[in-house]
Amino acid sequence: MAHQPTTSVCFLASDGVYDWAIALLESLKANSPSVRKVLIPYKDDIDRLLTAQARYDFEVMDDPRLAELERIGRLFGEHRFVRNFKKLAAFFGPCDVNVFLDADVVVLDDLTRLTTAMAEQNCQFSYFDQSRNWVYNTWSFIEKMEAEYGSGLFNSGAWAVGRNALCIERIDELTREALTLRDEMYPGYDQSVPNYCVDRGGLRPKAVADLLPEYAQSHRPLHKRMVYQDRMGSYRMKDRRSTAEGQRVMLLHWAGSGLHPFMPMRSTFLNYRLAGARPLDRLGYFSRVWSRLPGDRWNAWRKRNTYPSRQRPTPV
């Protein structure tokens, strides 16, 4: 049996996603207390998050390779996802296995179950969800990457990787290679480039559900009561339309959902966001969410009409 690997959670955040980050940290404290927590600063404005550092015992990554990853992101020009390339710093995380999570995640189970399974099954890279339509542009290229490299077409907001599976020089080399295939990369690049690096880097990604069959394949909340808590305290899928009915759920990832009063699984999010919050903090949270609702609806409309439509890649 493989040794118990040390585990960290590296999360990308700044004060702009304070509410999301607090919910994530609270969920880690409750459900995965043994992991080491590392903040990857999305921007320099992290002063408000640092006020919670003592409560949640997280570190702040201060690594010159963060600037290198921003530079690598700019190889595709000045796009709005440049800073998202910092998520690849999880490759250089401090532990044997480093889990990367976007801030809009709550953890519902012990992540060391996953990292132990990765060590036992000699897996270098594992992912929680797929984003088949948002990675590569054409079906022919998707089929090529799946056939030749075992592409997972994973969502780049939640994954786990063995330490130093790829070095910064290799990431730079593979990103430049992806740049020559720009027409095959889905615009935005913070999904397509990490997938390309993992694929061409030979990491042979595996889904969490492949490593731990008792867990569901998808961890994205789609409706109000998608997950329930059983008598033993485990979170399970509640969706009669899905074959995953009754399977365990390790985390919830509100990818692209936004923080608003009508978000799916809102009660689960609030359970962690407001845990231990003082009345003034609770009032501030609800005031912020309701006051920006019109702007959120406008931004959602603007994205639909500004950025490429999220349709399936065109068959070739």
Side-chain angles (χ1 to χ4, degrees):
M1 181 176 177
H3 78 289
Q4 178 73 39
T6 57
T7 303
S8 82
V9 169
C10 302
F11 62 102
L12 184 66
S14 62
D15 286 350
V17 291
Y18 175 84
D19 291 312
W20 283 116
I22 293 300
L24 169 61
L25 288 165
E26 188 66 42
S27 71
L28 287 168
K29 183 179 178 181
N31 301 316
S32 202
S34 65
V35 302
R36 190 170 167 181
K37 297 173 283 293
V38 182
L39 166 63
I40 303 173
Y42 180 74
K43 294 181 180 178
D44 293 334
D45 59 329
I46 58 171
D47 292 345
R48 192 177 178 207
L49 278 174
L50 290 178
T51 63
Q53 191 170 21
R55 174 176 172 83
Y56 297 112
D57 189 28
F58 64 85
E59 309 161 36
V60 179
M61 184 177 285
D62 183 17
D63 190 314
R65 287 173 289 191
L66 291 175
E68 280 292 289
L69 289 170
E70 275 202 58
R71 179 192 60 77
I72 289 171
R74 288 192 173 89
L75 291 173
F76 286 87
E78 286 293 340
H79 53 92
R80 68 188 184 97
F81 297 105
V82 165
R83 291 190 182 93
N84 287 12
F85 276 69
K86 289 182 178 180
K87 65 180 63 178
L88 296 176
F91 278 89
F92 330 125
C95 294
D96 296 329
V97 182
N98 302 290
V99 180
F100 173 78
L101 298 177
D102 276 344
D104 55 350
V105 168
V106 296
V107 173
L108 304 177
D109 208 332
D110 191 347
L111 291 170
T112 61
R113 292 176 182 268
L114 169 62
T115 58
T116 299
M118 289 177 66
E120 291 175 347
Q121 299 180 46
N122 196 28
C123 172
Q124 288 187 289
F125 191 97
S126 182
Y127 57 90
F128 289 89
D129 261 310
Q130 285 191 309
S131 288
R132 293 186 65 86
N133 299 339
W134 291 270
V135 176
Y136 301 130
N137 266 339
T138 61
W139 283 120
S140 59
F141 194 74
I142 288 173
E143 290 169 355
K144 169 185 167 67
M145 300 305 283
E146 287 180 321
E148 295 184 15
Y149 305 107
S151 180
L153 303 170
F154 62 89
N155 181 296
S156 66
W159 42 271
V161 66
R163 179 167 50 191
N164 294 325
L166 293 177
C167 64
I168 187 70
E169 292 79 14
R170 183 63 170 150
I171 290 173
D172 182 49
E173 176 188 349
L174 291 172
T175 303
R176 292 178 184 277
E177 189 177 294
L179 188 61
T180 67
L181 299 166
R182 186 170 188 155
D183 289 345
E184 299 290 357
M185 303 292 124
Y186 189 86
Y189 311 116
D190 67 326
Q191 293 268 42
S192 52
V193 172
N195 270 270
Y196 188 81
C197 289
V198 168
D199 292 345
R200 286 282 290 115
L203 301 189
R204 292 284 168 174
K206 293 183 179 179
V208 169
D210 291 333
L211 297 172
L212 297 166
E214 68 270 30
Y215 285 86
Q217 172 68 52
S218 177
H219 293 76
R220 183 176 178 182
L222 300 176
H223 54 82
K224 188 165 61 174
R225 293 188 178 87
M226 194 185 89
V227 171
Y228 70 97
Q229 202 167 8
D230 67 17
R231 293 180 180 179
M232 301 299 293
S234 298
Y235 287 88
R236 296 186 178 274
M237 186 73 71
K238 184 180 181 180
D239 189 348
R240 293 178 181 176
R241 298 168 296 180
S242 170
T243 56
E245 170 83 15
Q247 288 185 309
R248 296 178 67 165
V249 179
M250 191 166 285
L251 57 79
L252 291 176
H253 181 201
W254 283 268
S257 171
L259 190 61
H260 58 81
F262 312 109
M263 61 192 282
M265 296 298 299
R266 176 173 172 263
S267 61
T268 303
F269 168 78
L270 291 178
N271 181 50
Y272 294 106
R273 170 59 188 91
L274 300 179
R278 292 174 293 184
L280 195 59
D281 186 23
R282 288 171 174 261
L283 180 62
Y285 165 77
F286 286 112
S287 175
R288 284 191 301 276
V289 170
W290 282 99
S291 65
R292 67 178 177 229
L293 182 59
D296 289 344
R297 292 300 174 92
W298 160 250
N299 285 332
W301 180 89
R302 181 175 58 84
K303 287 177 184 178
R304 286 197 302 271
N305 289 275
T306 303
Y307 301 104
S309 61
R310 306 230 162 172
Q311 301 296 323
R312 289 191 171 193
T314 304
V316 183

